Structure formats: C-alpha cells, structure tokens
Amino acid sequence: EKGGFDHFMLKEIHEQPKAYRDTIRGRVHDNGRQIDLKELNITPVQIQNIRNVHIVACGTAYHAGLVGAKVIEQLVRIPVASDVASEYRYSSPLITPDTLVIVVSQSGETADTLAALREAKAKGAHVLAITNVVGSSIARDADDVLVTLAGPEIAVASTKAYSSQLIAFYLLGMYLAQVRATQTEDDIAQMIMALNALPEQVESMLENSDAMKAYAEQISHHEHLFFIGRGLDYAVAQEGSLKLKEISYIHSEAYAAGELKHGTLALIEEGIPVIALVTQEAVLEKTVSNIKEVKARGADVMAISHEEHIAGLLKSVDQAFAIPKTLPLFTPALSVVPLQLLSYYASLARGNDVDKPRNLAKSVTVE
Ligand code: BG6
C-alpha cells in the first residue's frame, strides 16, 4: 500500500509530479494560451465585479492560501486578505456580494473552515472551495469547487495536497486574470509553459534528495532553528517551519527576513541553523543582507535558491541547495519540496512516527 516507500509521507512527496499533472490536465486550452475552468459556476460578469477576495483555511491549507493571496494580487491586482478559519468566522468579516471567498481544505471536512464558509455564504459572498475531496461537506456547501487531483493523502503531514493547492491557485489566478484582462494572452501562454514544466522539475529534485537527507541529519540534533525569506519565500518558509515542527518536533520559527532585526535577532546565537529561501530575484540582495546579519551572530546558514545564484550565495552562507528555474510566482511549487524532504528525514533521524505525529489528527471535525 505504500508502493515500496517506507512511509506514506515519502510516497506522497513522490506523487507530487503526478498530482500536478492531474490538477493541470483539462484546465489548459489545447492552444496553450488560455485557462479553461469549465467546472466553475461563477460568471465572467461576476468575475468582473469582484472587489476583494478573502482566503480562509486552517493549518497547511492556510499556508497554501498565503501563496494564493500573493498570486491573485499580482496577477489580478485586486485586494486579497487571508485568515485562519477559527479567527475569520468570529471576526465579523467585511463581506459584500462582490467579495469572493476562497476556502481551502484538503479533507473538505475541517469544522472551522466549514463554519467560515457558511458564515461567508450567509453574508452574501460567492464561495469557492479548493478541496481534494469531491463529495466532502465543504465541496457540497460551496458555490464553486475547484478540485485538486492529488489523490488520497494518508500521512497526517500534508505534502501533495498543499502543493496541489498551489497549482489550483495558479490556475485560478491565471483564469481570473484572463477574464479581467489584467494579463495578456502572451503572458498567460508563458505562464502555462512554466506551469507545465513543474512536474518534471519536481521529479528532478526528487532524484537528488540525498543532499537534503544529509542536511536533515545534521539539523536533527538541534532544538531550535529559523526559516527566513521575503514575499513568496516567506509564505513557503511558514509551511516549511510548520512541517518541521509537526513531525520532527524541532522548534522552529519562520520569519520575514527583513523583520528579524526588529526582535528575533536576539535569538540568533552561535551554531543555530537558519534556512534562507532566496528565490525571489526582486528582493534577493535584500535577503542576502539579512543572511549577513545572522551570519555575523554565528548562525549556520543553508540557502535555497536557483542554480545561477548559488556560487554568489556561497560567499555568505555555509551550504546551498539549488532548485530548478521557474517564474518567480511559481517557485513555491518547487521550493517546498526540499523543505518536505528536510522534515521527513529529520523526523526519521529522531526516530519519530513520521506518518502519525503525536497530538495531531489528519482531519479536525471539532471546533
Ligand atoms: C489539521 C491537519 O489539523 O487540519 C493539518 O493536521 C491540516 O495537516 C489542517 O492542514 C487543515 O485540514 P484540511 O483538511 O482542512 O486541509
């Protein structure tokens, strides 16, 4: 049942190329220049009228929403707010009929997310669910469903569901941009090419997982570490940090790289591991400055970036891991993979039950 893998989590990490392909398939027009989301009920007129977007979810799905928010804001130029469902539902959210509420849930059964959906619907929003389970409560109650085709996810720590949610957000963002003409057809065509390349790029990273395994064994002896990044890298850092905590029980914090000096730098001491995500070219030099701040205080820094930046980064960091090149917007779908491997191998090195971490349930149907 684990298909030759030692754990469901590792199997599911390796199923990501297929999950990406299945989630993309049928949603890209044959001409490679348009997105087709035929399953959606929302009309082009309703899409034109959207004034703001709320993205609501729990846990890892919330982290996918953080990426989704940046994707939609950049491609469609409408304001997007993300919140965890347990806060959103009690926050008297500012909803009008022109608000699109996107709920994200692997299982489609998370109690707080379902309640948030109902609250949003009652206030007149159009609710679109991104879920992995077609017949789930959330899928049934939403006005629209965009299904991720990741297949069943058994390991408690979510991997392929998260990354497929990213793919769903890319498709949705591109589709909204197409309808509202905020991106040209050439832009969309270029994005489709990059999207279609992702599955093979993930495969190439999975073939080279030894470096991450070795690094995981190294950090497995630590009790605290940091993830830093800016923009989309910060969003992925938050997921990497959660994954590591969930299954290795190593305490970590994800920090917006530029915010470290406003407090957290006090915790950086000799030998503490810092994992720096440095994939966003527009802010690369800024993150390098933050890396220097932690290096000066003795941190042991691992950078994750594109091949072309590795040689330069190695002047400031202790180790570096290269991920394949894609559009800046799509890097989360690649950069999360080494972080998943890191958590998996760190958990293994510490002798934990990888697929069933303590105190966590796969699906939380209580509030
Ligand atoms: C949690 C799971 O309690 O629920 C997390 O342990 C998950 O892994 C979260 O991200 C949300 O679940 P779902 O099914 O709504 O995506």
Side-chain angles (χ1 to χ4, degrees):
E1 49 168 2
K2 290 181 194 142
F5 291 96
D6 291 341
H7 297 93
F8 282 111
M9 183 181 177
L10 192 59
K11 173 174 179 264
E12 289 160 5
I13 288 172
H14 281 262
E15 283 171 345
Q16 290 177 114
K18 176 170 164 30
Y20 285 17
R21 288 190 184 100
D22 290 348
T23 301
I24 297 167
R25 185 174 304 123
R27 288 164 168 164
V28 170
H29 195 279
D30 287 342
N31 65 13
R33 299 178 64 78
Q34 281 161 311
I35 301 295
D36 262 347
L37 296 180
K38 294 187 245 0
E39 63 263 65
L40 298 189
N41 301 313
I42 190 167
T43 65
V45 173
Q46 281 176 297
I47 291 175
Q48 291 289 355
N49 289 338
I50 297 170
R51 295 275 290 277
N52 63 334
V53 178
H54 293 172
I55 302 179
V56 185
C58 300
T60 288
Y62 166 69
H63 289 154
L66 294 180
V67 174
K70 289 185 189 294
V71 169
I72 293 172
E73 280 198 342
Q74 280 192 37
L75 294 180
V76 199
R77 308 307 295 167
I78 39 182
V80 185
S82 318
D83 207 350
V84 289
S86 55
E87 287 295 319
Y88 183 82
R89 56 181 295 202
Y90 301 116
S91 69
S92 167
L94 293 165
I95 291 172
T96 73
D98 296 333
T99 305
L100 172 66
V101 174
I102 303 173
V103 294
V104 192
S105 174
Q106 187 284 127
S107 63
E109 301 297 345
T110 300
D112 280 318
T113 311
L114 182 59
L117 178 165
R118 290 180 175 153
E119 164 84 10
K121 262 184 87 170
K123 288 200 159 162
H126 186 94
V127 181
L128 183 152
I130 294 177
T131 180
N132 202 35
V133 182
V134 180
S136 61
S137 308
I138 286 174
R140 272 186 276 125
D141 276 21
D143 298 301
D144 264 317
V145 182
L146 190 55
V147 178
T148 49
L149 287 133
E153 192 180 64
I154 310 294
V156 168
S158 178
T159 53
K160 63 176 182 172
Y162 166 86
S163 55
S164 302
Q165 286 158 1
L166 301 187
I167 302 296
F169 272 116
Y170 294 139
L171 291 164
L172 180 64
M174 290 158 74
Y175 180 66
L176 298 177
Q178 181 179 298
V179 174
R180 289 171 68 117
T182 49
Q183 303 291 319
T184 65
E185 201 178 284
D186 283 349
D187 294 334
I188 301 279
Q190 200 203 353
M191 285 184 251
I192 288 172
M193 270 199 342
L195 198 65
N196 281 329
L198 292 173
E200 240 172 79
Q201 292 178 315
V202 172
E203 271 156 15
S204 75
M205 279 188 290
L206 293 174
E207 280 161 18
N208 296 305
S209 55
D210 286 357
M212 263 302 147
K213 184 173 182 217
Y215 180 63
E217 282 160 8
Q218 181 190 325
I219 62 135
S220 69
H221 306 293
H222 288 264
E223 288 307 323
H224 304 279
L225 62 88
F226 286 90
F227 290 83
I228 61 171
R230 287 171 179 255
L232 285 166
D233 284 336
Y234 173 45
V236 178
Q238 290 173 76
E239 171 56 13
S241 176
L242 174 64
K243 200 86 340 185
L244 188 72
K245 280 178 283 209
E246 281 181 324
I247 59 169
S248 77
Y249 318 144
I250 297 170
H251 169 242
S252 66
E253 274 197 60
Y255 246 80
E259 186 64 15
L260 271 180
K261 64 169 84 59
H262 300 295
T264 326
L265 209 45
L267 292 170
I268 303 289
E269 40 184 51
E270 193 64 37
I272 193 158
V274 173
I275 298 163
L277 287 133
V278 203
T279 72
Q280 301 297 302
E281 265 100 22
V283 286
L284 193 135
E285 287 311 319
K286 300 286 172 194
T287 307
V288 170
S289 308
N290 304 131
I291 288 173
K292 289 178 179 158
E293 290 163 5
V294 296
K295 275 308 299 172
R297 286 156 185 87
D300 189 66
V301 183
M302 154 68 99
I304 296 177
S305 188
H306 300 296
E307 189 63 53
E308 65 204 83
H309 304 303
I310 298 290
L313 282 167
L314 281 171
K315 291 181 197 139
S316 325
V317 303
D318 300 278
Q319 315 178 48
F321 184 86
I323 62 162
K325 188 75 184 176
T326 184
L327 297 176
L329 215 52
F330 292 170
T331 55
L334 300 179
S335 59
V336 73
V337 176
L339 302 184
Q340 295 166 343
L341 292 168
L342 175 70
S343 304
Y344 174 77
Y345 286 115
S347 174
L348 209 60
R350 289 166 72 106
N352 298 348
D353 186 346
V354 175
D355 283 337
K356 286 201 181 61
R358 68 187 182 209
N359 303 344
L360 288 181
K362 182 67 186 159
S363 167
V364 180
T365 51
V366 293
E367 298 180 9

